Amino acid sequence: MSHPMTITEKILAFHAGLKAVKPGELIKARVDLALANDITAPLAIQVFEEIGREKVFDAEKIALVADHFVPNKDIPSAQQAKVMKNFAIKHKIAHYYEMGDGGIEHVILPEKGLVGPGDLVIGADSHTCTYGALGAFSTGVGSTDLGAVMATGMAWLKVPSTIRVEYQGKLMPWVGGKDLILFTLGQIGVEGANYKSLEFCGETIRNLPMDQRFTMTNMAVEGGAKNGIVEPDDITVNYFSERSVREPLMFKSDDGAVYERVLKIPAEKIEPQVAFPHSPDNVRPVSKVGLVTLDQVFIGSCTNGRLDDLRIVAAILKGKGVAKGTRLIVLPGSQWIFKKAIQEGLVETFLDAGAVVGPPSCGPCLGGHLGILAEGEKALSTTNRNFVGRMGHPKSEVYLASPAIAAASAILGRIGSPEDV
Amino acid sequence: MKLIGKVWKFGDNVDTDVIIPARFLTVSDKEDLAKNCFVDLSPNFVKEVRKGDIIVAGKNFGCGSSREHAPLAIKAAGIGLVVAKSFARIFYRSAFNIGLPILESDEAFDIYSEGETLTVDLETGEIRGANAGVRVSAKAIPVFMREIIQAGGLVSYIKARGSL
Ligand code: SF4
């Protein structure tokens, strides 16, 4: 018998063809899916070409997604996107997505059933850790690593130690996955999980719908983590089996698995959270925010651009209007979500309230386009990072919060909660 | 290998958005990326940095996005070494993969000042300041990372072995 292991250790051992692994061990692991986007793919392609292989390791196991600057914002970004497109055509990449059937990478890969429980996913994007919500091991790397994966189908990884975060209790109204993860980041700090795995568990997580689990694992990297993960359960399997015919691999942490640290969080006491500039761990409960007037509210991204998010926003915006002097931008995370949001009447609610609804794109999340901030402007955003200059001018400010807080704040023209509207 | 360079100091949690803001990521040429390295945080950096200069930073250097453009921009701008209390995970990996030397040291940041000239032995990790009495030793580099460096980066490593 091998020693008790965490879910992350088990998935890594499985993909390395080993019975057991221990934190700190270096392994070479088989990759189920390799991902790159319009920013990182061109560099990864250069690396792949330097390595000098004729063919990619498996055209079915590579996903290339144009999402950061789509629709292409200028000539250089169009040139970059074209490099990726040509590569996808040349190598018959099965999962190449452009506008029209795509969206933001971390939204569409799960949505299209390309990632499932037990998978190992390597992506040239730091938020690749999002797929941990499905009980998969997924982590972000640089373009050189990704180029190497495209050539060999293998990645070298150091087995991380794990921090287990247990959430107990029923959530207060308007509190969800975003608040749980922001609160947790406030506790551990932006470096608190550097090189480590963050395992989210406990009664609160078991009751959390998939969309909110994605929000939590998405921001594991904001604590520096290598991966974030939730043990798969019925909620996971229901989500996955609606989208894929593959058998899920249901790894779970063993009793007696060794954790570097266990953090217990009384979730029922957590208020909606707001991260102040310029760091995702600089959090306060919404009741302690004070007066912060807003020039812009952005709802979208791989953190909070999913259907449940838009439903919450519409419920709050219904019959109300965006405050004068505040701009509200809503970008659904994928084409599918966009269509659902139209069918369910959410988009009409957004438009009636005075929002601008745009195409699925990373857009303003990384200060690319579709809503850049001017000097001194303040924005509340449902995204994951609020570093200096992240959404525009280096002297602009970004506050991070949930879709519920974003919707309420758009109505109020200042940061506030749905209770205040 | 000995390296001599002038110190550029940066604090804790220097993220990839300030190393190279996303608005400049529409290109992937190293030299073009280098033109905007630290443009918001330290506008004079690109003008004044000299080949072989050394960045000395606090903890969690290179956090944030996975963009390899960040270590590439730093390297192409002329920086010969980054010494930090700690590095963010993806930056750490990528630096080795592309051949940007990095060292981890808890003390360097508190000891050396901006503009000071350091002499560094990359193999032993010994760092010596302008005041020859003040020296620190950086943490040892894990064996497997050393293999990648010895091969000349990840690409040559794979080419030489035919696999990972
Ligand atoms: S939405 Fe933002 S965080 Fe997510 S992949 Fe796009 S740029 Fe990155």
Side-chain angles (χ1 to χ4, degrees):
Chain A
M1 256 272 298
S2 57
H3 59 266
M5 287 188 285
T6 66
I7 174 170
T8 292
E9 290 156 12
K10 282 182 168 177
I11 298 174
L12 291 177
F14 175 76
H15 285 83
L18 300 167
K19 275 215 186 64
V21 295
K22 279 209 170 103
E25 196 176 329
L26 172 79
I27 57 163
K28 289 179 183 169
R30 187 172 48 74
V31 174
D32 293 311
L33 191 68
L35 161 74
N37 58 48
D38 47 339
I39 290 184
T40 58
L43 272 180
I45 290 165
Q46 277 177 24
V47 170
F48 174 84
E49 277 161 5
E50 261 177 69
I51 292 172
R53 295 281 165 95
E54 299 263 297
K55 281 195 190 140
V56 296
F57 83 105
D58 189 338
E60 298 288 326
K61 291 187 174 171
I62 294 173
L64 298 176
V65 184
D67 57 0
H68 280 64
F69 294 140
V70 296
N72 293 330
K73 70 171 184 131
D74 52 18
I75 293 169
S77 63
Q79 296 288 120
Q80 295 273 88
K82 192 175 143 194
V83 170
M84 181 164 85
K85 181 177 189 161
N86 288 345
F87 182 84
I89 293 170
K90 178 172 171 204
H91 291 277
K92 303 194 172 59
I93 302 297
H95 308 294
Y96 167 64
Y97 299 107
E98 276 192 282
M99 300 158 36
D101 65 349
I104 301 170
E105 49 196 318
H106 310 308
V107 176
I108 64 171
L109 263 49
E111 187 181 284
K112 292 177 186 289
L114 300 183
V115 185
D119 284 353
L120 190 146
V121 184
I122 300 290
D125 189 275
S126 61
H127 292 101
T128 303
C129 54
T130 308
Y131 317 122
L134 289 160
F137 175 90
S138 57
T139 192
V141 296
S143 292
T144 297
D145 273 312
L146 207 270
V149 177
M150 291 203 295
T152 65
M154 304 287 288
W156 68 261
L157 295 162
K158 200 159 142 193
V159 179
S161 59
T162 300
I163 300 177
R164 182 179 164 95
V165 195
E166 293 178 10
Y167 302 85
Q168 298 297 343
K170 208 165 154 274
L171 298 175
M172 287 192 223
W174 307 114
V175 173
K178 183 61 161 286
D179 306 294
L180 295 180
I181 189 65
L182 286 175
F183 182 85
T184 307
L185 290 168
Q187 300 283 303
I188 66 173
V190 286
E191 209 210 6
N194 204 2
Y195 300 101
K196 301 179 175 80
S197 172
L198 275 176
E199 186 175 318
F200 303 114
C201 59
E203 171 209 344
T204 318
I205 303 297
R206 294 276 75 94
N207 291 318
L208 213 56
M210 270 321 293
D211 279 6
Q212 299 195 34
R213 292 184 186 181
F214 283 123
T215 304
M216 293 189 69
T217 48
N218 175 268
M219 290 189 73
V221 68
E222 267 60 68
K226 181 170 216 153
N227 71 319
I229 198 158
V230 176
E231 277 183 5
D233 56 16
D234 289 350
I235 293 178
T236 327
V237 172
N238 286 342
Y239 180 95
F240 182 60
S241 55
E242 276 173 21
R243 296 166 166 83
S244 174
V245 294
R246 281 197 295 141
E247 253 325 286
L249 285 167
M250 306 287 283
F251 291 105
K252 308 225 162 163
S253 293
D254 293 322
D255 291 337
V258 178
Y259 292 94
E260 177 174 312
R261 184 177 165 199
V262 179
L263 210 69
K264 293 195 199 269
I265 295 185
E268 77 274 359
K269 295 205 183 115
I270 295 179
E271 262 188 69
Q273 304 285 308
V274 178
F276 273 54
H278 292 283
S279 186
D281 63 355
N282 188 14
V283 296
R284 288 179 212 182
V286 70
S287 61
K288 302 247 159 59
V289 162
L291 179 66
V292 180
T293 52
L294 297 169
D295 301 286
Q296 181 168 304
V297 173
F298 172 52
I299 296 168
S301 86
C302 61
T303 318
N304 281 121
R306 295 189 177 77
L307 190 55
D308 279 2
D309 299 321
L310 301 189
R311 286 176 176 147
I312 291 169
V313 171
I316 295 167
L317 283 181
K318 188 99 198 155
K320 305 222 164 51
V322 173
K324 199 137 189 71
T326 306
R327 311 179 290 265
L328 174 60
I329 300 166
V330 183
L331 303 186
S334 74
Q335 187 84 352
W336 178 82
I337 294 168
F338 203 168
K339 195 170 149 197
K340 282 277 180 194
I342 290 172
Q343 286 168 350
E344 292 184 13
L346 312 181
V347 169
E348 197 174 333
T349 303
F350 301 155
L351 295 176
D352 286 346
V356 162
V357 183
S361 174
C362 295
C365 171
L366 80 161
H369 62 163
L370 303 172
I372 304 302
L373 300 174
E375 180 170 1
E377 285 195 324
K378 291 188 170 79
L380 184 116
S381 178
T382 66
T383 53
N384 45 38
R385 289 192 178 132
N386 56 349
F387 300 143
V388 173
R390 173 75 179 177
M391 291 180 69
H393 197 280
K395 291 211 176 83
S396 59
E397 292 186 352
V398 180
Y399 297 75
L400 305 175
S402 69
I405 296 298
S409 302
I411 298 166
L412 296 164
R414 60 171 173 85
I415 300 179
S417 99
E419 318 271 328
D420 308 337
V421 300
Chain B
M1 199 182 126
K2 281 239 173 8
L3 207 117
I4 299 170
K6 199 165 59 79
V7 172
W8 288 84
K9 271 187 103 169
F10 292 93
D12 289 341
N13 302 315
V14 170
D15 61 79
T16 55
D17 278 294
V18 300
I19 297 174
I20 175 93
R23 59 183 187 276
F24 301 116
L25 298 184
T26 52
V27 296
S28 40
D29 180 74
K30 293 198 279 278
E31 308 303 324
D32 283 341
L33 290 168
K35 282 183 207 149
N36 295 301
C37 193
F38 290 115
V39 58
D40 294 337
L41 194 64
S42 177
N44 290 336
F45 177 81
V46 178
K47 254 185 281 153
E48 292 169 15
V49 69
R50 293 287 163 267
K51 201 163 168 46
D53 278 0
I54 296 168
I55 289 176
V56 175
K59 55 183 187 169
N60 206 22
F61 188 87
C63 63
S65 94
S66 71
R67 63 188 72 150
E68 203 162 294
H69 312 67
L72 281 174
I74 287 176
K75 190 180 173 204
I79 288 293
L81 169 72
V82 185
V83 185
K85 286 189 182 169
S86 65
F87 291 89
R89 191 187 65 82
I90 300 175
F91 188 96
Y92 186 84
R93 267 184 97 101
S94 294
F96 282 98
N97 285 342
I98 65 156
L100 168 69
I102 59 178
L103 288 174
E104 277 182 307
S105 159
D106 285 332
E107 306 146 285
F109 182 78
D110 302 322
I111 293 177
Y112 303 121
S113 28
E114 177 93 13
E116 180 172 356
T117 300
L118 302 186
T119 308
V120 183
D121 185 325
L122 280 180
E123 251 134 65
T124 62
E126 194 187 70
I127 307 170
R128 204 182 289 236
N131 173 353
V134 184
R135 59 171 86 171
V136 304
S137 284
K139 277 187 209 137
I141 297 166
V143 180
F144 61 92
M145 308 294 280
R146 241 181 291 151
E147 282 173 17
I148 292 176
I149 298 178
Q150 273 157 12
L154 191 67
V155 170
S156 338
Y157 179 87
I158 291 173
K159 275 175 129 171
R161 294 169 44 108
S163 69
L164 186 69

